Amino acid sequence: MKVWELWRSAKSTLLTVCTEKDNIFDENFRGKPLASSYEPIKLKVQRIGQEEDFPNLASGALIFSKQAQTVIGPLIAPYAEVLEIDHSEISDIEIALINVTNVVAALDYGRTTFKYDACSGEISGFNSVHFQLDKVMHNPIFRIPEKPVKLYVTDEFRDLVIQHELKGFVFEEVWDSEYAVDMKQARQQYEAQLATIEQKKGEEVPFLEALALVEADKAMASGKWKLQADPANNVLLGELMLDGDYEWITPMSYPPILSELYWHEVELNDFEE
């Protein structure tokens, strides 16, 4: 299962508000219900586009054509409000304003990496976003409290749009549950490999003594780190990666943390001549 961030196409018809009082978008459309206090806003066409099922209006708000409402409306009905629009300036276009009210605390904080505003320190975006599968699998469209202006959809929503050839959305893949499961399994295997290294360790020696043993053609390890000489007798430093292999470098100097560790002898890796 995949999660997609929802964007409006640049090819969509572009709408704009007729008056300043109709501009209700700066503080709204972040997940809060509006139906009880909402008054229909008046819109006009700013630019005719090639794709008309999802006209472009404002960040966080969705506009659906009549066809899009017919196709997608039943799917998202539990998760959004349909708000009427004053059509007096656009009588030839049948559209409705969609306010997605489904805010889900779905982020996997252990894996998501954030971007922060340099001035406020608040979350400004994501370097990578990861979701909890059980929190998103039954939510075809949703927002997250950390960035409620963003809209996310699952395969169920996207498949409907593609199946009925609706135009005007761009779907950016941001998360794949299969990849997340693979990463979880890789992490578990990595931790198991580290545990095996620790279980098999014998006598431990400090760093400088470990280097001397490496120069005597021994391989020494401490946690994820490994020291071994290559066929040319250069001392290599290896770091155990998630795929179970070591990534090797020829260090110009050693990270200070290594001198604080204790090392034990392990099997040599095979290096090509």
Side-chain angles (χ1 to χ4, degrees):
M1 175 184 160
K2 295 180 179 179
V3 172
W4 311 78
E5 187 171 350
L6 195 60
W7 299 89
R8 269 59 55 99
S9 170
K11 297 179 181 178
S12 293
T13 293
L14 179 62
L15 303 176
T16 188
V17 296
C18 289
T19 66
E20 188 58 34
K21 75 178 183 63
D22 293 315
N23 188 5
I24 62 172
F25 302 103
D26 289 344
E27 299 299 329
N28 296 304
F29 296 91
R30 305 292 189 270
K32 179 182 177 181
L34 301 173
S36 62
S37 59
Y38 172 79
E39 294 183 3
I41 60 173
K42 184 183 294 187
L43 300 177
K44 61 183 178 181
V45 175
Q46 183 170 331
R47 185 195 69 234
I48 294 290
Q50 301 173 7
E51 301 174 348
E52 298 182 351
D53 291 311
F54 306 103
N56 209 338
L57 177 60
S59 182
L62 296 178
I63 299 286
F64 279 14
S65 68
K66 183 177 181 180
Q67 173 67 2
Q69 291 179 66
T70 301
V71 172
I72 303 177
L75 175 66
I76 69 169
Y79 314 106
E81 298 174 327
V82 179
L83 306 175
E84 293 185 4
I85 289 173
D86 183 336
H87 283 77
S88 58
E89 296 292 327
I90 48 172
S91 57
D92 57 335
I93 303 177
E94 292 189 65
I95 56 175
L97 183 59
I98 308 299
N99 178 33
V100 177
T101 56
N102 188 33
V103 181
V104 183
L107 281 186
D108 182 341
Y109 268 76
R111 297 178 181 177
T112 297
T113 57
F114 298 91
K115 296 179 181 177
Y116 295 93
D117 184 271
C119 297
S120 68
E122 296 180 352
I123 295 172
S124 61
F126 308 100
N127 292 310
S128 65
V129 60
H130 295 265
F131 293 103
Q132 302 172 62
L133 179 59
D134 61 324
K135 296 291 183 68
V136 299
M137 63 189 306
H138 300 301
N139 288 286
I141 188 166
F142 64 95
R143 305 177 190 272
I144 54 176
E146 293 81 2
K147 288 294 290 182
V149 71
K150 291 180 177 289
L151 286 167
Y152 297 97
V153 300
T154 62
D155 295 327
E156 188 175 10
F157 182 103
R158 180 175 178 269
D159 290 348
L160 265 183
V161 171
I162 294 173
Q163 177 187 344
H164 291 272
E165 299 182 348
L166 301 175
K167 304 298 182 182
F169 276 148
V170 175
F171 298 94
E172 179 187 356
E173 181 183 332
V174 294
W175 184 74
D176 185 336
S177 63
E178 292 186 8
Y179 175 75
V181 170
D182 290 344
M183 287 299 294
K184 182 177 181 180
Q185 292 174 343
R187 171 61 65 177
Q188 291 172 341
Q189 293 170 358
Y190 174 82
E191 297 292 346
Q193 190 170 350
L194 281 178
T196 299
I197 293 172
E198 287 298 303
Q199 290 169 2
K200 292 183 177 181
K201 69 182 181 183
E203 180 185 357
E204 293 184 295
V205 298
F207 180 65
L208 291 179
E209 190 172 336
L211 280 180
L213 290 169
V214 169
E215 292 171 357
D217 203 25
K218 302 291 185 182
M220 306 297 291
S222 182
K224 67 178 181 178
W225 302 105
K226 188 170 183 178
L227 293 166
Q228 181 177 330
D230 66 10
N233 292 321
N234 299 307
V235 176
L236 303 180
L237 174 63
E239 181 180 1
L240 184 64
M241 310 306 290
L242 280 180
D243 61 6
D245 292 329
Y246 283 91
E247 185 174 285
W248 298 95
I249 63 170
T250 304
M252 300 296 292
S253 60
Y254 295 99
I257 185 64
L258 298 186
S259 64
E260 301 175 8
L261 302 177
Y262 281 82
W263 301 75
H264 56 94
E265 185 175 350
V266 292
E267 293 183 4
L268 291 162
N269 278 71
D270 291 327
F271 294 125
E272 295 182 359
E273 295 287 344

